[in-house]
Amino acid sequence: SRTSAGETIHEVTSASPSWKGFTNKDGTGLYHEILLRVFEPHKIRVVHTYTNAVRGIHLVSKDLVDFYTCRADVTDFQNLMLARHPMYEGQVHAFFNRQRIGKWQGMTSFTGKRVVWRRGYYKPSEFKAVFTMVEADSGILALSQVVYGRADFYVDDPNLISESVSKATFPFDMKDYGIVMVKTRTYHPVFKRSARGEQLMDLYD
């Protein structure tokens, strides 16, 4: 395939964390399968780099990879753009201590609380409440903040909350905790605003 500048593209590079079921390190998973179906008909090879969410976006903005999979928005980045079509539409859930929080009342339950999530995954503006935002370097660290009473809610994709719970090495009883759906959102690949980025995004869309 060629860009508008006439460059022949034989290979594209993508970046993301390793998410079970989406970007498995053996090359399987939803995102890998979609990218294969998008680019293989054009005889373009996809090479994936595993990194954290913050660094993945940085790699795209610095032209070190072609795109990041996936993100809900890029309003904070003038040189980046979201593809029109999402790769995934998922739910956002919250993990909390039932005794400390009481009955879930929707997003208003966040008001005045400490809400923790993985670094770079969410923004306070996505939620209809005023609260203190805390970012953690992993889901397990976010989970531990709630278990140890340093935060009130851990917000994440439900699959990632389950993964954090299963990998936690500190003691807690799940009967004491609740997990509720907060909202849904779509996740799109992120491209650089450039001739190459626009061409690749057109191929994807």
Side-chain angles (χ1 to χ4, degrees):
S1 182
R2 293 180 179 272
T3 66
S4 57
E7 174 193 0
T8 301
I9 301 175
H10 298 292
E11 182 176 286
V12 293
T13 52
S14 57
S16 80
S18 174
W19 287 310
K20 184 178 180 181
F22 292 83
T23 49
N24 302 328
K25 287 197 172 180
D26 64 359
T28 61
L30 179 65
Y31 290 170
H32 285 324
E33 290 174 15
I34 291 174
L35 294 177
L36 187 66
R37 290 177 181 242
V38 167
F39 292 105
E40 191 177 51
H42 300 280
K43 295 182 171 54
I44 298 174
R45 178 170 175 255
V46 181
V47 177
H48 193 77
T49 297
Y50 291 96
T51 185
N52 63 55
V54 174
R55 185 168 181 270
I57 289 294
H58 173 78
L59 292 175
V60 180
S61 68
K62 297 298 183 183
D63 281 324
L64 297 174
V65 298
D66 287 308
F67 53 91
Y68 174 81
T69 55
C70 280
R71 192 177 167 101
D73 72 73
V74 286
T75 54
D76 295 339
F77 304 91
Q78 292 185 346
N79 67 337
L80 300 179
M81 54 190 177
L82 282 186
R84 186 167 70 252
H85 300 292
M87 280 184 144
Y88 175 64
E89 181 174 354
Q91 297 177 348
V92 178
H93 284 210
F95 172 95
F96 62 97
N97 184 292
R98 295 179 189 275
Q99 184 174 1
R100 188 161 68 242
I101 300 302
K103 187 177 179 182
W104 172 252
Q105 302 289 339
M107 283 194 202
T108 58
S109 294
F110 287 161
T111 300
K113 304 297 186 183
R114 289 174 63 84
V115 181
V116 59
W117 53 66
R118 300 173 193 235
R119 194 172 307 282
Y121 276 38
Y122 302 97
K123 296 190 299 184
S125 59
E126 295 183 59
F127 305 92
K128 299 173 182 177
V130 178
F131 54 84
T132 300
M133 177 193 77
V134 183
E135 291 193 308
D137 288 331
S138 72
I140 293 173
L141 287 175
L143 182 80
S144 72
Q145 296 263 346
V146 175
V147 170
Y148 292 125
R150 299 178 191 133
D152 299 296
F153 294 94
Y154 158 38
V155 169
D156 213 337
D157 179 282
N159 297 315
L160 297 181
I161 290 178
S162 296
E163 185 179 274
S164 298
V165 168
S166 67
K167 291 182 177 179
T169 56
F170 42 87
F172 65 98
D173 189 337
M174 273 302 298
K175 292 196 299 290
D176 298 329
Y177 296 87
I179 300 174
V180 295
M181 190 187 84
V182 178
K183 57 176 286 188
T184 61
R185 70 175 186 172
T186 55
Y187 298 84
H188 307 244
V190 179
F191 295 86
K192 178 75 178 288
R193 289 190 183 277
S194 64
R196 180 182 172 92
E198 289 175 4
Q199 175 68 11
L200 292 176
M201 190 171 79
D202 285 345
L203 286 175
Y204 169 81
D205 280 332

